[in-house]
């Protein structure tokens, strides 16, 4: 059968089963939609107001099967944006065999398949429409690849949601003859652009109905208005006695009267037993847990962080909002209610009313958390959020670790005094970075995570800033067998062993001070509880967020801890062991010295070594050493492979003597394995640490040499990690002397602001802040090219009393939206002048392109002379490229000579063809090797 005949047959079947709903079909069939035709069938189902559709069409490019697929692209202006796409179906009766599925591909994770269930025998007395709700299927995890999303066990999910409606409406909901009539894609995404391809819809076990009620109304409010869809069922009816819930005492979280430190992981479908075995005590869910998840949490003893039930009518005036039903005993495993993240003033009123409803409905009075990106004082006001979650992505960005430390210390000052802080810790590369690397690599997968240790640095930095809980961000399951996932799982398990060891201090201790050390790149936080001090030194040298290094050549590190009595002793502790370390009594405290310091350490200063600490350390002895040896083995293999590819590459040739570190690391790893085999766990752990330390030193030297001439590592996506340095050299060779095409960006010379704004499409945005005046203008005072430049300024209205910190950028300038052919190599260029350091924000002038997003943004705090910025990107969307200049603090900047130019590289990618000589020809440029 020809492909055209197969397409016609598919359309005929679709017409018969999806469109002609008035025809009764009793036999079970498999309904398919291949999306080969010219007309789109998915439609916008409402969502956050902060997004705009860029493209929606049928396309023949990139289809999974057949001649086409449906493509949807949109741009999001805020974190935590949620978008809903709807595909209507002919009503399908809910039977055991009913199994909807769909194939999707995207550059964002977390896309979830939902289905609307309609209860035709239950009519809502207010709307006069049948009751309806949503059931949830699986979520998308494999960025850049096709993945099938499914909804299984539909009758069970429907029954659970019927109980939800009964509890919410306080009336009977008749689930007989229930059917599904539409599929919904819930796209929950970060700022920037999102692309989605949809293909091969299939509804197995389809049984049509002769008479289905028409006009079942819009999406339920639970999906239309909750950040992170409340799609899974809420159980009703107590199944166990109520127990004492978690409580806040000042800034401490207590569980059973004991201080508790949440070690939470975002849930991506793993069995809870797997997460518990990896050392997590808490799981964060994006939706209300199903009966099965609640039962699994209770069985494993894990706590949950999840959204609370959503009252109906939250989007309407308060007089119309239905009261929230009492929260029942099934939810006793919930540690805290999560009201969302990326929240701003737009969501404040709804969140406030939601929090009020939850407090009335929850007899256990569990804490309420939220992640606000603005208006922290309002969100932390009494009666709203009890705990604020600070979320800042740092690994592989231009945001230095020391700046992150200062940000963590300063951010709580915007909140109500004394509000406890939890912090998120990234465990994976940013999606925009991965998307760029895949684009540069012509679609080939890139291993970027294995061997990296930024997760450790970020976690310890957050602890040193007083975080009372850590939420490890995760967008893919920890059960994968690829090298990146195995490394991530092992690193997180080892971190959890360390966090459990020091829980008394991080859960209930007082942050006394931060002290410097004999190495100016190492600072140590000092926490105290019950007369004992815990010291947490962290290496945070420049560029640590890209490729961490080490402290001193010998690894010996000393720091002075104030307020320590002479009778106390110092111990370096780790999962599986501890050792007495050198101390020297000095005026006002004690000087402590660590040998062979790596990236982080834990030092306990106490008069009597606490039995609980010794017990916890001894319990993890063998396993901790095995984990560290496994990690050293992975890192050694990666470094050996990368070093082999770096032969004769630029300055890499001059670093051959550093290869001795590679051999030394191999020898130390062999010693670690030998010691473990002999039962000498302490030596095994120490040798594995030394092996990792030497590998880290070699990586750092090669990375510094490779990026020495770059204005910034984020200018080239390959330069942000050690593992991609060979590709970095290839890119540099390709663009060195490459031909640049005509500039695509209009009015980037800023000779006429009126023309730039009115004709070209540049836009000026302002965020009014108390006590701050922001402005943008064309300036003749300073310029680099021509006679004018763009001046941006933010100044205190009262110069004698300027604000110390700026919560959100006072203003930003955004370029017009450019349409760029996918696969085009682009050179982004401009010049900026920042005569005096920008104050009140560590971000300074933030330069963000929509392809790299904030993860690859450039930050310039001070540039007394005109500074050039250059960035190479690959267009990965058919339209929507923008460039944004955000002034994040108080100061004055000038911007000039901004261009975006397609580049013709010297070497085409395998399988690509060189474009014609005519630069105006609308042809795709070749990718790089």
């Amino acid at each position: 059968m020809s492909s055209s005949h197969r397409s016609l047959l598919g359309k005929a079947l679709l017409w018969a089963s999806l469109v002609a709903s008035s025809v009764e079909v009793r036999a079970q069939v498999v309904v398919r939609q291949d999306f080969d035709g010219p007309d789109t069938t998915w439609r916008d189902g409402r969502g956050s107001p902060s997004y705009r559709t860029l493209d929606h069409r049928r396309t023949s490019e990139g289809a999974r099967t057949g001649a086409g697929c449906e493509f949807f692209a949109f741009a999001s202006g805020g974190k935590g944006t949620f978008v809903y796409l709807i595909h209507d179906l002919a009503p399908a009766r809910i039977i055991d065999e009913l199994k909807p599925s769909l194939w999707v591909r995207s550059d964002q994770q977390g896309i979830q398949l939902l289905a609307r269930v309609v209860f035709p025998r239950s009519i809502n007395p207010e709307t006069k429409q049948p009751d309806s709700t949503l059931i949830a299927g699986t979520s998308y995890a494999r960025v850049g690849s096709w993945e099938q999303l499914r909804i299984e066990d539909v009758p069970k999910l429907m029954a659970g949601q019927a109980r939800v409606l009964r509890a919410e409406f306080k009336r009977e909901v008749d689930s007989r003859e229930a059917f599904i009539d539409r599929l919904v894609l819930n796209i929950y995404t970060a700022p920037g652009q999102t692309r989605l391809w949809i293909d091969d819809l299939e509804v197995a076990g389809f049984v049509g109905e002769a008479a289905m009620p028409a006009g079942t109304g819009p999406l339920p409010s639970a999906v239309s208005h909750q950040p992170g869809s409340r799609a899974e069922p809420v159980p009703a009816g107590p199944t166990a006695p109520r127990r004492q819930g978690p409580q806040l005492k000042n800034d401490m979280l207590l569980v059973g009267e004991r201080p508790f430190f949440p070690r939470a992981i975002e849930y991506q479908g793993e069995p809870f037993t797997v997460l518990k075995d990896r050392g997590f005590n808490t799981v964060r869910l994006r939706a209300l847990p199903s009966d099965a998840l609640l039962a699994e949490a209770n069985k494993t003893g894990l706590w949950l962080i999840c959204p609370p039930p959503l009252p109906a009518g939250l989007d309407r005036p308060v007089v119309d909002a239905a009261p929230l039903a009492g929260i029942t005993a099934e939810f006793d495993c919930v540690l805290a209610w999560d009201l969302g993240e990326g929240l701003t003033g737009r969501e404040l009123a709804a969140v406030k009313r939601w929090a009020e409803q939850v407090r009335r409905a929850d007899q256990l009075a569990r804490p309420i958390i939220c992640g606000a990106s603005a208006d922290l004082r309002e969100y932390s006001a009494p009666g709203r959020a009890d705990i604020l979650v600070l979320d800042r992505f740092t690994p592989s960005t231009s945001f230095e670790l020391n700046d992150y430390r200062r940000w963590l210390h300063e951010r709580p000052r915007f909140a109500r005094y004394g509000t406890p802080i939890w912090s998120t810790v990234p465990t994976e590369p940013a999606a925009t970075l991965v998307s760029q690397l895949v684009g540069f690599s012509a679609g080939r997968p890139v291993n970027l995570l294995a061997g990296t240790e930024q997760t450790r640095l970020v976690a310890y930095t957050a602890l040193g800033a007083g975080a009372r809980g850590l939420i490890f961000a995760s967008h893919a399951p920890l059960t994968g067998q690829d090298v990146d996932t195995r490394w991530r799982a092992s690193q997180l398990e080892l971190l959890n062993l360390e966090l459990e060891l020091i829980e008394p201090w991080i859960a209930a201790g007082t942050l006394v001070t931060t002290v410097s050390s004999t190495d100016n790149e190492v600072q140590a936080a000092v926490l105290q509880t019950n007369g004992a001090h815990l010291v947490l030194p962290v290496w945070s040298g420049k560029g640590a967020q890209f490729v961490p290094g080490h402290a001193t050549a010998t690894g010996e590190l000393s720091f002075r801890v104030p307020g320590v009595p002479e009778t106390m002793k110092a111990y370096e502790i780790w999962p599986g062991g501890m050792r007495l370390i050198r101390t020297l009594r000095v005026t006002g405290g004690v000087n402590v010295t660590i040998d062979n310091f790596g990236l982080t350490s834990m030092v306990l200063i106490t008069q009597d070594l606490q039995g609980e600490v010794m017990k916890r350390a001894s319990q993890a002895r063998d396993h901790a050493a095995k984990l560290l040896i496994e990690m050293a083995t992975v890192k050694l293999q990666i470094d050996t492979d990368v070093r082999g590819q770096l032969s004769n590459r630029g300055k890499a040739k001059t670093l051959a003597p550093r290869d001795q570190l590679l051999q030394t690391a191999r020898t130390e790893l062999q010693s670690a394995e030998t010691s473990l085999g002999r039962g000498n766990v302490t030596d095994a752990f120490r040798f594995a640490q030394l092996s990792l330390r030497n590998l880290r030193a070699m990586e750092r030297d090669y990375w510094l040499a490779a990026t020495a001439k770059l204005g910034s590592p984020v200018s080239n996506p390959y330069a942000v990690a050690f593992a991609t340095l060979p590709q970095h050299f290839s890119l540099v060779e390709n663009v060195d002397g490459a031909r640049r095409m005509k500039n695509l960006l209009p009015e980037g010379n800023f000779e006429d602001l009126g023309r730039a704004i009115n004709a070209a499409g540049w836009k000026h945005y302002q965020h009014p802040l108390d006590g701050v005046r922001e402005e943008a203008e064309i300036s003749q005072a300073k310029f680099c090219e021509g006679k004018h430049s763009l001046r941006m300024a933010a100044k205190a209205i009262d110069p004698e009393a300027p604000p110390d910190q700026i919560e959100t950028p006072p203003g930003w300038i955004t370029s017009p939206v450019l349409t760029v052919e996918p696969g085009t190599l682009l050179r982004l260029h401009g010049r900026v002048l920042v005569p005096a350091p920008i104050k009140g924000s560590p971000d300074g002038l933030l330069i963000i392109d929509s392809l790299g997003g904030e993860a690859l943004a450039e930050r310039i705090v001070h540039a007394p002379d005109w500074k050039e910025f250059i960035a190479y990107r690959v267009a990965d969307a058919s339209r929507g490229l923008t460039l944004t200049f955000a002034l994040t603090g108080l100061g004055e900047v000038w911007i000039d000579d901004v261009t975006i130019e397609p580049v013709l590289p010297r070497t085409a990618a395998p399988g690509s063809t060189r474009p014609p000589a005519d630069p105006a020809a609308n042809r795709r440029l070749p990718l790089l090797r």
Side-chain angles (χ1 to χ4, degrees):
M1 182 183 296
S2 69
S3 60
S4 60
H5 288 164
R6 284 195 299 269
S7 179
L8 289 173
L9 180 61
K11 288 178 175 60
L13 179 58
L14 176 69
W15 177 262
S17 56
L18 294 184
V19 180
S21 57
S22 61
V23 178
E24 182 175 5
V25 182
R26 290 297 181 183
Q28 291 184 38
V29 298
V30 177
V31 172
R32 293 184 176 89
Q33 162 69 290
D34 54 18
F35 303 103
D36 285 351
D39 299 325
T40 60
T41 50
W42 290 86
R43 58 187 174 86
D44 193 341
R46 300 182 299 171
S48 299
S50 59
Y51 78 92
R52 67 182 187 278
T53 300
L54 300 175
D55 196 2
H56 186 192
R57 56 187 165 86
R58 291 286 177 88
T59 177
S60 60
E61 297 180 5
R64 177 180 175 269
T65 62
C69 61
E70 192 152 330
F71 175 75
F72 182 73
F74 66 93
S76 163
K79 184 173 182 180
T81 298
F82 51 103
V83 178
Y84 301 107
L85 291 182
I86 297 173
H87 193 290
D88 291 312
L89 304 171
R93 172 176 283 185
I94 293 179
I95 60 175
D96 291 340
E97 293 78 10
L98 184 64
K99 289 180 172 33
S101 65
L102 182 72
W103 286 86
V104 299
R105 178 165 66 92
S106 180
D107 47 17
Q108 297 284 351
Q109 295 174 324
I111 299 167
Q112 188 175 36
L113 179 62
L114 315 172
R116 184 169 76 164
V117 175
V118 179
F119 301 97
R121 287 178 171 265
S122 293
I123 305 300
N124 189 303
E126 296 181 2
T127 66
K128 310 303 181 183
Q129 300 289 337
D131 288 327
S132 63
T133 188
L134 288 167
I135 57 176
T138 58
S139 297
Y140 180 73
R142 300 172 58 193
V143 169
S145 301
W146 284 102
E147 182 176 356
Q148 188 181 41
L149 304 184
R150 304 174 305 281
I151 303 178
E152 298 178 337
D153 207 351
V154 173
K156 182 178 179 181
L157 294 176
M158 179 270 295
Q161 285 297 83
R163 292 198 298 272
V164 173
L165 298 182
R166 293 183 189 110
E168 186 171 315
F169 297 150
K170 295 183 173 60
R171 58 177 171 80
E172 179 58 29
V173 173
D174 191 340
S175 61
R176 290 177 296 171
E177 299 179 6
F179 59 89
I180 66 170
D181 68 341
R182 67 177 48 164
L183 297 180
V184 180
L185 281 175
N186 177 13
I187 311 168
Y188 186 78
T189 185
Q193 293 187 10
T194 296
R195 297 176 302 154
L196 174 66
W197 290 262
I198 306 171
D199 207 350
D200 295 337
L201 182 155
E202 183 175 289
V203 182
F206 180 92
V207 175
E209 289 292 339
M212 295 291 186
T216 51
L219 282 170
S221 60
V223 166
S224 297
H225 304 285
Q226 180 175 350
S229 167
R230 172 202 167 190
E232 296 191 56
V234 183
T239 59
R242 305 311 299 267
R243 63 176 180 175
Q244 185 178 7
Q247 299 292 326
L248 274 179
K249 182 178 181 182
N250 298 322
D251 67 340
M252 287 186 295
L253 180 64
L254 303 178
V255 172
E257 303 301 325
R258 292 190 60 181
F260 181 84
F261 186 89
R263 307 186 300 273
I265 182 73
E266 291 185 338
Y267 179 63
Q268 296 300 334
E270 308 96 325
F272 281 3
T273 52
V274 170
L275 299 179
K276 184 174 183 179
D277 289 344
R278 291 294 184 183
F280 296 102
N281 57 22
T282 307
V283 178
R284 186 189 199 184
L285 305 175
R286 294 293 185 182
L288 270 170
S290 64
D291 293 304
L293 288 179
L294 290 169
E296 192 176 0
N298 282 314
K299 182 178 179 180
T300 58
L302 287 175
W303 291 96
L304 301 181
I305 298 170
C306 64
L310 185 69
L314 192 67
D315 58 316
R316 300 193 294 271
V318 67
V319 294
D320 294 332
L324 190 63
I327 296 173
T328 53
E330 287 89 348
F331 289 96
D332 282 1
C333 56
V334 172
L335 182 75
W337 300 115
D338 186 356
L339 299 188
E341 59 185 358
L343 302 174
T344 65
R346 292 190 299 270
E347 298 86 13
L348 182 60
V351 168
K352 177 184 176 182
R353 289 162 51 199
W354 196 8
E356 292 170 349
Q357 293 265 30
V358 172
R359 293 188 190 281
R360 286 196 292 266
D362 187 10
Q363 297 178 12
L364 298 186
R366 279 162 283 213
I368 293 176
I369 72 171
C370 79
S373 59
D375 299 303
L376 271 67
R377 189 170 302 277
E378 288 77 10
Y379 275 103
S380 60
R384 298 173 192 173
D386 303 299
I387 299 167
L388 289 179
V389 180
L390 299 184
D391 184 15
R392 185 67 189 256
F393 196 95
T394 302
S396 301
T397 72
S398 60
F399 198 60
E400 295 286 345
L401 204 61
N402 276 328
D403 290 332
Y404 176 62
R405 175 186 288 108
R406 287 193 291 271
W407 183 83
L408 285 173
H409 280 285
E410 294 165 354
R411 195 69 176 169
R413 295 170 57 184
F414 294 110
R416 177 174 55 89
Y417 179 77
T419 302
I421 297 298
W422 292 358
S423 181
T424 60
V425 178
T427 68
E428 298 163 285
T432 51
L433 171 59
V434 174
S435 177
Q436 279 295 292
L437 290 173
V438 170
F440 273 106
S441 303
R444 294 188 297 274
V446 177
N447 289 326
L448 189 66
L449 182 63
T452 60
E453 299 177 86
Q454 289 90 334
T455 297
R456 165 175 295 277
L457 289 175
V458 172
Y460 269 75
T461 301
L463 296 178
R468 290 300 197 192
L470 296 181
I471 300 175
F472 291 94
S474 179
H475 302 290
L478 288 177
T479 50
Q481 293 305 304
D482 58 285
V483 64
D484 277 358
T485 302
R486 287 189 287 114
W487 169 272
R488 187 164 66 104
S490 295
Q491 182 173 218
L492 289 173
E493 186 172 358
L494 186 60
L495 268 173
N496 280 328
L497 290 174
E498 296 168 19
L499 295 176
E500 186 177 14
L501 188 61
I502 60 176
E503 184 170 21
W505 289 269
I506 57 179
T510 300
L511 180 59
V512 177
T513 186
T514 299
V515 298
S516 57
S517 71
T518 50
D519 188 305
N520 59 13
E521 295 182 330
V522 178
Q523 291 185 313
V526 181
L527 296 90
Q528 180 180 3
T529 186
N530 297 328
H533 294 71
L534 177 70
V535 185
L536 299 175
V538 181
W539 187 87
S540 54
K542 186 174 177 59
Q545 75 279 17
F546 295 115
V547 178
H550 55 90
T552 62
T554 63
E556 184 173 289
L557 184 74
S558 298
F559 43 86
R560 182 173 300 181
V561 183
V564 175
E566 187 175 359
T567 55
M568 288 192 172
K569 297 180 180 180
Y571 302 85
E572 185 179 20
I573 60 175
W574 62 87
M578 61 187 68
R579 65 185 181 98
L580 188 66
I581 58 177
R582 287 179 289 158
T583 58
L584 176 65
R585 182 66 185 173
V586 294
T587 303
V590 63
N591 205 60
V592 178
T593 300
I594 302 175
D595 297 323
N596 295 313
F597 176 76
L599 285 182
T600 62
S601 185
M602 300 179 292
V603 175
L604 182 60
I605 305 176
T606 181
Q607 188 165 356
D608 296 311
L609 192 59
Q610 300 182 8
E612 182 66 21
V613 174
M614 296 180 65
K615 179 181 177 182
R616 291 184 181 184
S618 63
Q619 287 175 342
R621 285 175 61 84
D622 291 355
H623 190 56
K626 290 177 181 177
L627 283 173
L628 203 62
I629 289 173
E630 289 173 4
M631 293 171 64
T633 302
V634 171
K635 196 177 187 72
L636 177 63
Q637 181 61 55
I638 289 172
D639 288 6
T640 301
D641 292 345
V642 172
R643 176 61 191 95
Q645 298 176 57
L646 287 175
S647 300
N648 301 317
R649 290 282 195 176
K651 277 194 173 182
K653 293 183 292 186
T654 67
L655 290 174
R658 302 299 285 167
D659 291 349
Q660 180 59 41
L661 292 170
L662 200 64
Q663 182 55 46
T664 302
R666 184 175 289 107
T667 302
E668 288 163 341
L669 180 56
Q670 292 171 350
S671 297
E673 293 169 340
T674 300
S675 297
L676 185 62
R678 293 174 177 172
N680 190 340
V681 179
T682 298
D683 280 354
F685 200 91
R686 181 173 62 87
F687 279 123
Q689 284 182 316
L690 291 173
S691 179
L692 285 168
R693 184 175 181 275
N694 280 298
L695 292 172
R696 199 180 299 124
M698 189 204 75
E699 291 180 354
R700 177 76 172 180
D701 287 343
Y702 274 100
W703 178 77
L704 288 173
T707 59
K709 293 184 179 181
L710 292 181
S712 169
V714 297
S715 65
N716 168 0
Y718 283 130
V720 301
F722 172 77
T724 52
L725 287 186
Q727 291 80 12
H728 156 71
F729 281 109
S730 293
L731 176 60
V732 171
E733 292 168 0
N734 262 317
V735 300
D736 186 18
R739 182 183 177 188
R740 301 205 300 265
M741 304 298 191
K742 182 180 178 180
N743 174 34
L744 302 177
L745 185 64
E747 301 300 330
N749 55 7
F750 301 110
E751 293 298 308
D752 185 331
L753 185 61
R755 187 168 67 237
I757 290 179
N758 297 325
W762 287 83
K763 294 181 180 179
H764 176 210
Y765 299 91
Q766 293 177 299
H767 185 100
L769 299 174
D770 291 340
V772 177
R773 181 178 67 253
E774 189 274 342
E775 57 190 29
E777 63 178 1
I778 292 296
S779 171
Q780 291 182 310
K782 303 178 188 296
F783 53 85
C784 185
E785 299 285 344
K787 296 182 179 180
H788 302 84
S789 66
L790 171 66
R791 173 183 171 270
M792 299 178 67
K795 298 183 178 181
I797 295 176
D798 182 359
E800 300 300 321
D804 292 334
Q805 298 296 320
I806 302 299
E807 185 178 24
T808 55
W812 58 97
I813 296 283
T814 299
S815 76
V817 180
L818 301 180
T819 300
V820 183
E821 186 73 12
T824 303
L825 175 62
L826 299 167
R827 179 182 184 264
L828 285 58
H829 171 273
R831 301 179 191 273
V832 299
L833 181 68
V834 189
I838 295 172
K839 298 180 179 180
S841 168
D843 288 291
L845 176 66
L846 196 59
I847 306 172
I848 309 173
D849 67 270
S850 57
L851 296 175
E854 191 172 345
L856 291 175
E858 180 61 282
R859 292 167 171 84
I860 301 176
V861 176
H862 186 208
D865 299 315
W866 283 100
K867 178 182 176 65
E868 184 180 44
F869 68 86
I870 300 175
Y872 287 96
R873 302 287 185 261
V874 168
D876 63 355
S878 56
R879 63 184 65 186
L881 170 59
T882 59
L883 193 60
T884 298
F885 298 90
L887 183 57
T888 66
L890 299 180
E892 196 171 21
V893 304
W894 282 262
I895 304 167
D896 203 359
D897 191 25
V898 181
T899 60
I900 298 178
E901 301 166 314
V903 174
L904 179 62
R906 295 169 57 190
T907 306
S912 68
T913 58
R914 188 171 294 278
D918 179 9
N922 186 19
R923 292 284 301 278
R924 174 174 175 165
L925 294 174
L927 298 171
L928 298 177
R929 284 181 178 175

